[in-house]
Amino acid sequence: MTYSDAVEAAPEARPDRPRAKRGGKRERLAAAAARVLHEQGMEKTTIADIARAADVPLGNVYYYFKTKDQLVEAAIDAHAQTLAGMISALDELPTPQDRLKALLAGWVEQRELTARYGCPTGSLASELDKRDDGLDQTLATVMRVLLDWAEQQFLALGRTADARELAVALIASYQGISLLTNTFRDPELMAAEGRRLERWIDSLA
């Protein structure tokens, strides 16, 4: 299995691909909430928007979620499940270098979507930071999973002294280039940064 195969297998790798309507209404609503919140932002998104995206009658939504905040929580959980699936696919690759490059490839695959809407988790984190309901920390827990995983890859590369710093640098580079890609609406910025980060990983290995 190549790292390209792992990226293809990871749900997060191709968020622009139409998804089959699988699972129950709750799962569809959670996935739709994550997608619509990314595209429209929290303030503009209504429960009706999410119901329409999930192809669930509006009246049925309240059986599963009483408020929009509960749908936001469900969206965060959907991000967590997507991340878990992506990590599971990446972990099938033989070397930490391959796994880190596969992560980069997945990010670059999203460049058109990132140019339009920004990073899904980063954009949501920015919005949640303005609230005082603790949901920002819930999302931070999800993002920490990726940071911890990246640290483990750098440890496996033999970087025992600075693995955490390198993991932070990698995730920070992605968040920064996501912001620039979105600001300038230029997907090539993400592609160029992906190539630079690949060379950086090679130099560490």
Side-chain angles (χ1 to χ4, degrees), residues 1 6-7 10 83-96 98-100 102 149-150 152-153:
M1 185 180 190
V7 169
L83 178 60
M86 181 183 72
I87 286 175
S88 178
L90 295 176
D91 281 343
E92 294 183 24
L93 298 175
T95 70
D98 286 340
R99 293 191 285 272
L100 288 167
W149 177 86
Q152 290 302 312
Q153 307 316 305

Side-chain angles (χ1 to χ4, degrees), residues 12 79-80 83-84 86-87 90 99-100 103-104 107 119 121 139-154 164 167-168 170-172 174-175:
E12 186 75 5
H79 281 297
L83 178 60
M86 181 183 72
I87 286 175
L90 295 176
R99 293 191 285 272
L100 288 167
L103 178 66
L104 292 177
W107 288 341
C119 167
T121 50
L139 184 59
T141 299
V142 177
M143 297 180 75
R144 192 172 292 114
V145 170
L146 179 59
L147 184 61
D148 291 345
W149 177 86
E151 180 182 10
Q152 290 302 312
Q153 307 316 305
F154 287 114
R164 190 66 173 188
V168 170
L170 178 65
I171 305 305
Y174 166 62
Q175 289 298 330

Side-chain angles (χ1 to χ4, degrees), residues 20-90:
K21 292 176 182 175
R22 296 185 298 235
K25 291 180 181 177
R26 183 183 183 88
E27 290 75 18
R28 281 158 46 198
L29 286 164
R35 185 169 66 254
V36 177
L37 287 168
H38 180 212
E39 294 175 359
Q40 299 183 181
M42 289 185 58
E43 293 303 316
K44 291 183 179 180
T45 297
T46 66
I47 292 178
D49 292 333
I50 295 170
R52 186 164 48 252
D55 196 22
V56 172
L58 180 58
N60 289 11
V61 175
Y62 296 99
Y63 178 79
Y64 302 98
F65 303 102
K66 304 301 182 188
T67 66
K68 189 169 84 172
D69 283 354
Q70 289 181 350
L71 276 163
V72 173
E73 289 185 72
I76 294 173
D77 185 60
H79 281 297
Q81 292 184 40
T82 295
L83 178 60
M86 181 183 72
I87 286 175
S88 178
L90 295 176

